[in-house]
Amino acid sequence: MQEYNPKEIEKKWQQKWLSQGAFEWKADSKQPKKYILSMFPYPSGNIHMGHVRNYCIGDAMARHYRKKGFNVLHPIGWDAFGMPAENAAIKHGIHPKDWTYSNIAAMKKELMSLGFSFAQENELATCDEDYTHWEQKFFIDLWNAGLIYRKRALLNWCPNDQTVLANEQVIDGKCWRCDTEVVQKEMYQYYIKITDFAQELLDDLDSLEGKWPSQVLNMQRNWIGKSSGLEFELKLTEDAMAKTNISSLKVFTTRPDTIFGVTYCAIAPEHEITKAMLDSLPLESQKMIKAMQNTNARNRAMAKKEGVALGIEVIHPLTQEKIPLWVVNFVLGDYGCGAVMGVPAHDERDYEFTSLYHLPIKKVIQSDEIPYCGEGELVESGEFSGLYNLEAKQKIIQYFQTNKMGQGITNFKLRDWGISRQRYWGTPIPLIHCKHCGIVAEEKLPVLLPYDVVIDGEGNPLQKHLTWGVCKCPKCGNEAKRETDTMDTFMESSWYFLRYSTPKAMRQTKALDKDSLRYWLSVDEYIGGVEHAILHLLYARFFTKVLRSLGHLEISEPFEHLLTQGMVLKDGAKMSKSKGNTIDPNAIIERYGADSARLFVLFAAPPTKELEWNDDALEGAYRFIKRLWERSKNVQPLDSQPKIDASTLTKTEKYARKKVYEALKKSDEIFNKIIAGYPFNTLISSCMEALNALSDQEHPLVWSEGYFVLLNILEPVIPHVCHELSTQYFKGSNLGEIVFDSLALEEDMQVIVVSVNGKKRADIEIPKGASKEEVLGLAKKAIEKWLVGEIIKEIYVPNKLVNFVLK
Ligand code: ANZ
Ligand code: ZN
């Protein structure tokens, strides 16, 4: 027998699988299917342990279901547009396209060297021309359906580089390249109306209950952020009206029950009243407000509370009191009305703010603490005093509605999705600006990126290009200009899982193929990092709903089950380049082989938990496979699963068989989801126990049967060595359905408790069906040292316990 040589056998099998097309799906719509998908990678150039983990989990599922007779779609692709490619161009002068495709080639090679069973036929990169084509088609469909619109919005702008910056390019308020102070500049942006689907996106989360991690469902619910309350107006005082030319202030509150506790009102720095007042304020205040305006609103809201008193007042609609008006950093310009009523006695944030500026506090819900955010009885609240606050909330909304002073409304935190980016390496937005016709959709798709661009970090490369942007208006034929914005890369990742199902032969002529979609979607198992819990998963759900509403699709939810894998850690910290604690998967493959890497990753922790890097455990994984290889010399070759008459076996032989079938049972429980979360680690440890138990016995058929089963259930984890041994000993006949021998699990022995004077002293194993005398004999032996007096009574409860009562 040869030595275990992973390099040799892994390469051999990988080549064989590829040349046989072993992982391509068959077009048989009568066969049951499984669509197993690990989130596609960004082609940064090298795979890291996070990738390895992600694809090991998906691959184990794909291989298992394939063996069970499912038609499996398990594709791979590349999330290929985005900023790093442009950064590489700026730093190293490599063209983003060349950089991206060469990274794809390199990473593909690395992934394939792990033996992942990816369908080659379905591969795609989102920067492929055909992908661009259909994404632009969807864009235009949405545009024509009124689901995309253009609006001015604030963007991070570097005045020196004359360029828009992504949030991650703003470091401490400064440009990442030139350290210039970043400002907020108003520019046209394209938005998708995801808010039209807010209610449906929220409601359908209920259908994912139990199938997606509840943490992710809750994060999505909070992000959509439905809240109901009262919207009403406060009149400005005559003086304030004179100063601003504005007559009233509209606010939104979820707590109308606290309305008698208002001691100030606050507006966003972007509010029209702020703008009207700005020039008349002291210079110091103007400076503060401008600084707020120049800070990204979400960051601003997280910062230390601060505010500027405007020196004007509004009138409380129920008490007619005058209430001071402030501009504060924690009110968002684009939520609710961009203005709030401040109730420091019953809101943490308002309390913190009023404490800083020594504003009055007025308690209106009975309580001993301040601030008090719980429920209770209203006090000092006019005719509503004495009501329980939840009831008062409804009564006060009613009062405002009856008197036409305001209305009960529902608000969502979810904002429309801003999809335009002022950068080169993305899908061009296929619109044309015509002097005569306005904005017109391009008719000749795809609109491809020009290759000859200058990417130096200054300005927008597409805008600087001399000829690319010049075109003819599709409507009137006059000279017109192309839109130079490209799309947010989340657009591409919002439908790639649909596109995978489009057969390659159809990809030029169709975005999606209805028959393929009907068969393959939804994705049965989606595996990825929890960092995508909100944006990607929300956009993908939304896109699915939009495409359904446009008639492209029949499903409403794209991902039937979601598994969020845990992080890979080293020395307790997330493995990352910036921390310098990464482990290169290639080095592991080089030293131990792909199977050891796969075994380690799936054995070290259950998929959803954090995985702490451990050199010894990796070594252990390798040793286990080596042992599996070496002990196979005990196996007697077979062509099919053997039938064993258990009555002829010894105790250790029976025990070995039991361990083997326990492992098989574990595998069934995992894949039938009797145990949740695909804990492959427990499957692997069952297999290890089984191999140990086999090693304690010599029966050749028990060895063979054991390997027949173990190679089958380990194949999804360590495919190369399993295929190799399976071919050597069983002609591969074991890599399919396996018959479960439930008799092998039946216990010959049972455990009973032995007590002395009612106190438990031992558990003993006795043969099933042993006589009372035999049991008492064994029991006495087990507790000999406690038998210090004369036995006056022996209590025997069959199958359960023995108790000796001493004098
Ligand atoms: C008075 C009040 C008293 C509030 C109280 C809360 C507790 P949701 O929708 O759940 O986030 N708010 C309204 N618009 C805002 C904006 N543009 N920026 C920042 N905060 C805003 O909660 C809405 C509550 O957040 C509203 O109810 C308002 O403060 C604040 F004891 O009004 B509340
Ligand atoms: Zn025109």
Side-chain angles (χ1 to χ4, degrees):
M1 148 152 225
Q2 281 180 317
E3 283 239 348
Y4 172 52
N5 182 344
K7 265 209 190 106
E8 199 176 286
I9 61 172
E10 289 177 358
K11 204 167 187 183
K12 180 180 105 187
W13 280 99
Q14 286 163 15
Q15 277 166 358
K16 196 162 178 171
W17 290 328
L18 273 188
S19 68
Q20 289 174 339
F23 309 127
E24 311 310 320
W25 53 274
K26 295 145 265 150
D28 178 2
S29 56
K30 280 187 243 35
Q31 203 186 347
K33 67 91 186 179
K34 287 276 181 193
Y35 184 174
I36 308 292
L37 185 61
S38 293
M39 288 179 185
F40 67 167
Y42 177 79
S44 58
N46 300 99
I47 58 169
H48 53 65
M49 287 310 298
H51 291 128
V52 175
R53 190 173 197 197
N54 195 213
Y55 300 112
C56 279
I57 297 166
D59 200 52
M61 296 179 188
R63 284 178 175 275
H64 172 87
Y65 291 119
R66 221 178 265 122
K67 243 176 346 128
K68 284 272 173 181
F70 286 92
N71 200 2
V72 171
L73 176 56
H74 183 226
I76 185 74
W78 311 92
D79 190 11
F81 276 133
M83 234 170 39
E86 263 174 271
N87 294 348
I90 297 170
K91 284 201 183 117
H92 309 297
I94 312 169
H95 194 281
K97 184 173 182 177
D98 302 335
W99 185 85
T100 303
Y101 279 105
S102 84
N103 284 352
I104 288 176
M107 282 176 74
K108 176 83 188 289
K109 205 166 149 223
E110 292 183 13
L111 284 181
M112 295 317 284
S113 77
L114 278 154
F116 294 135
S117 63
F118 293 131
Q120 305 297 308
E121 259 300 297
N122 303 75
E123 187 173 343
L124 60 82
T126 57
C127 61
D128 291 343
E129 293 182 2
D130 61 322
Y131 202 87
T132 294
H133 182 165
W134 299 115
E135 186 156 303
Q136 290 173 334
K137 179 69 172 54
F138 287 145
F139 181 99
I140 290 170
D141 287 351
L142 264 68
W143 175 262
N144 290 336
L147 286 166
I148 295 183
Y149 62 94
R150 196 169 177 247
K151 173 181 100 173
R152 281 174 84 80
L154 293 171
L155 294 177
N156 303 312
W157 176 256
C158 171
N160 181 46
D161 294 336
Q162 293 285 303
T163 192
V164 174
L165 298 174
N167 284 339
E168 53 273 37
Q169 292 175 316
V170 182
I171 296 158
D172 293 332
K174 299 200 170 102
C175 171
W176 68 304
R177 281 187 70 233
C178 65
D179 249 6
T180 307
E181 200 78 42
V182 171
V183 297
Q184 300 288 301
K185 188 177 168 183
E186 228 186 1
M187 292 207 282
Y188 276 111
Q189 287 265 84
Y190 295 90
Y191 287 86
I192 301 193
K193 279 193 185 166
I194 189 172
T195 52
D196 274 13
F197 290 73
Q199 188 65 52
E200 195 187 334
L201 284 165
L202 182 66
D203 290 343
D204 286 356
L205 288 174
D206 294 344
S207 72
L208 301 173
E209 207 69 63
K211 303 177 180 176
W212 281 33
S214 49
Q215 180 204 4
V216 175
L217 294 176
N218 286 335
M219 284 164 87
Q220 293 229 345
R221 287 190 181 106
N222 290 336
W223 188 260
I224 296 168
K226 183 177 178 175
S227 59
S228 59
L230 173 70
E231 194 178 84
F232 68 98
E233 283 178 12
L234 299 99
K235 289 213 165 55
L236 269 62
T237 61
E238 294 212 349
D239 166 63
M241 244 189 272
K243 283 179 176 156
T244 57
N245 238 337
I246 294 168
S247 60
S248 67
L249 170 71
K250 204 188 236 179
V251 301
F252 169 66
T253 177
T254 47
R255 296 291 307 274
D257 50 318
T258 64
I259 194 165
F260 286 88
V262 175
T263 58
Y264 75 103
C265 279
I267 58 179
E270 296 83 15
H271 197 276
E272 53 166 357
I273 295 181
T274 314
K275 286 181 185 157
M277 287 294 294
L278 193 61
D279 290 343
S280 66
L281 296 175
L283 273 182
E284 206 40 43
S285 305
Q286 290 193 30
K287 249 172 89 183
M288 245 174 101
I289 292 173
K290 280 182 187 151
M292 291 180 198
Q293 287 169 343
N294 275 332
T295 323
N296 173 298
R298 312 280 145 175
N299 295 342
R300 194 177 72 201
M302 309 282 279
K304 183 171 169 284
K305 316 253 157 311
E306 55 177 31
V308 172
L310 285 177
I312 55 174
E313 292 162 321
V314 293
I315 299 170
H316 193 290
L318 300 181
T319 65
Q320 315 307 322
E321 274 172 301
K322 287 183 179 170
I323 313 271
L325 189 58
W326 288 66
V327 178
V328 301
N329 63 343
F330 56 86
V331 170
L332 302 172
D334 64 353
Y335 182 66
C337 307
V340 307
M341 62 178 216
V343 186
H346 303 293
D347 180 70
E348 299 273 359
R349 196 176 59 179
D350 290 342
Y351 180 77
E352 194 186 329
F353 180 71
T354 48
S355 310
L356 274 172
Y357 291 95
H358 309 292
L359 295 171
I361 295 171
K362 206 177 148 207
K363 178 155 88 179
V364 291
I365 292 179
Q366 193 52 265
S367 65
D368 295 332
E369 349 158 350
I370 293 270
Y372 175 73
C373 304
E375 297 171 8
E377 193 174 293
L378 260 60
V379 294
E380 313 265 339
S381 296
E383 62 185 274
F384 303 99
S385 297
L387 287 178
Y388 196 67
N389 76 312
L390 295 182
E391 195 188 345
K393 180 174 170 178
Q394 300 315 319
K395 287 257 158 74
I396 291 174
I397 292 177
Q398 256 167 34
Y399 179 92
F400 273 82
Q401 291 191 157
T402 318
N403 294 292
K404 306 227 165 355
M405 294 160 63
Q407 62 238 344
I409 60 158
T410 299
N411 252 321
F412 288 92
K413 286 229 171 58
L414 185 67
R415 304 287 80 170
D416 276 340
W417 174 14
I419 51 154
S420 43
R421 297 290 180 272
Q422 293 67 35
R423 18 203 99 256
Y424 168 73
W425 192 234
T427 308
I429 287 181
L431 295 175
I432 288 167
H433 299 270
C434 170
K435 273 204 208 86
H436 312 282
C437 315
I439 302 181
V440 185
E442 172 62 274
E443 282 167 6
K444 286 190 258 39
L445 298 181
V447 178
L448 298 174
L449 291 167
Y451 186 82
D452 56 330
V453 278
V454 180
I455 302 172
D456 53 12
E458 289 166 29
N460 176 345
L462 289 179
Q463 244 162 18
K464 288 195 291 182
H465 196 281
L466 295 178
T467 54
W468 180 80
V470 185
C471 63
K472 291 252 165 345
C473 168
K475 250 195 196 155
C476 69
N478 284 310
E479 188 162 290
K481 272 190 179 159
R482 284 194 188 292
E483 174 57 60
T484 54
D485 282 359
T486 54
M487 297 183 210
D488 179 4
T489 58
F490 276 116
M491 283 284 277
E492 285 93 62
S493 51
S494 291
W495 67 286
Y496 79 105
F497 48 90
L498 303 174
R499 177 69 171 172
Y500 276 140
S501 73
T502 311
K504 261 201 182 141
M506 294 182 190
R507 285 188 176 176
Q508 294 300 320
T509 51
K510 277 184 185 181
L512 302 170
D513 173 52
K514 274 210 165 146
D515 290 337
S516 304
L517 285 177
R518 198 172 295 131
Y519 178 62
W520 284 115
L521 272 291
S522 53
V523 173
D524 293 278
E525 300 290 341
Y526 197 32
I527 306 125
V530 74
E531 67 273 19
H532 296 297
I534 299 178
L535 295 182
H536 162 58
L537 288 168
L538 192 69
Y539 294 147
R541 294 181 60 224
F542 161 67
F543 226 79
T544 303
K545 292 176 194 301
V546 169
L547 291 183
R548 184 209 56 206
S549 79
L550 296 175
H552 293 286
L553 260 181
E554 288 161 13
I555 53 165
S556 286
E557 285 294 332
F559 310 121
E560 179 73 11
H561 295 100
L562 174 71
L563 186 154
T564 47
Q565 78 195 70
M567 280 194 297
V568 181
L569 311 178
K570 180 145 187 275
D571 306 320
K574 180 182 175 173
M575 222 183 236
S576 75
K577 255 198 196 146
S578 60
K579 290 205 188 72
N581 62 350
T582 55
I583 297 274
D584 178 10
N586 297 304
I588 299 170
I589 300 168
E590 183 60 31
R591 174 133 183 236
Y592 298 102
D595 281 337
S596 293
R598 296 173 63 123
L599 184 68
F600 163 72
V601 158
L602 293 179
F603 183 49
T608 55
K609 294 275 151 53
E610 289 176 340
L611 184 160
E612 176 72 52
W613 182 261
N614 181 333
D615 290 310
D616 295 339
L618 175 61
E619 188 77 40
Y622 175 75
R623 278 198 311 270
F624 170 72
I625 299 176
K626 201 157 171 267
R627 206 177 325 134
L628 186 73
W629 178 269
E630 283 162 1
R631 307 244 160 117
S632 71
K633 65 175 185 290
N634 300 326
V635 171
Q636 192 183 71
L638 294 170
D639 285 355
S640 61
Q641 190 171 357
K643 283 216 164 56
I644 293 184
D645 176 6
S647 65
T648 63
L649 300 181
T650 67
K651 204 172 134 184
T652 41
E653 287 160 1
K654 280 185 189 161
Y655 182 72
R657 288 195 80 222
K658 183 173 161 223
K659 285 287 156 190
V660 166
Y661 280 97
E662 269 176 11
L664 180 59
K665 183 163 170 243
K666 182 67 79 156
S667 169
D668 288 347
E669 285 170 347
I670 288 173
F671 288 103
N672 295 327
K673 301 200 178 189
I674 294 163
I675 318 175
Y678 289 94
F680 297 116
N681 57 321
T682 62
L683 173 64
I684 295 164
S685 62
S686 292
C687 291
M688 291 174 168
E689 284 175 29
L691 184 61
N692 285 342
L694 283 173
S695 303
D696 289 340
Q697 60 84 43
E698 283 165 5
H699 199 299
L701 215 50
V702 173
W703 268 107
S704 301
E705 184 197 36
Y707 263 61
F708 197 93
V709 173
L710 288 184
L711 296 179
N712 175 290
I713 53 185
L714 280 169
E715 188 270 348
V717 180
I718 45 174
H720 309 88
V721 68
C722 288
H723 276 267
E724 181 64 28
L725 292 175
S726 164
T727 311
Q728 279 184 28
Y729 293 102
F730 310 120
K731 300 189 185 147
S733 63
N734 63 326
L735 298 181
E737 274 287 352
I738 282 215
V739 182
F740 189 86
D741 183 357
S742 52
L743 287 180
L745 291 186
E746 247 174 41
E747 299 277 352
D748 286 341
M749 306 292 278
Q750 71 182 138
V751 176
I752 64 165
V753 174
V754 185
S755 315
V756 178
N757 287 338
K759 190 160 188 177
K760 177 177 166 180
R761 292 300 184 190
D763 284 318
I764 59 166
E765 251 195 307
I766 56 161
K768 267 193 174 166
S771 68
K772 182 175 174 183
E773 285 65 41
E774 284 174 299
V775 174
L776 288 176
L778 287 168
K780 265 182 213 159
K781 223 190 245 158
I783 47 116
E784 234 163 1
K785 61 174 166 178
W786 287 283
L787 286 180
V788 290
E790 188 190 332
I791 299 176
I792 53 170
K793 205 171 176 192
E794 292 171 343
I795 301 164
Y796 171 56
V797 184
N799 305 326
K800 283 224 172 80
L801 63 85
V802 174
N803 185 22
F804 297 105
V805 182
L806 303 188
K807 196 165 165 183

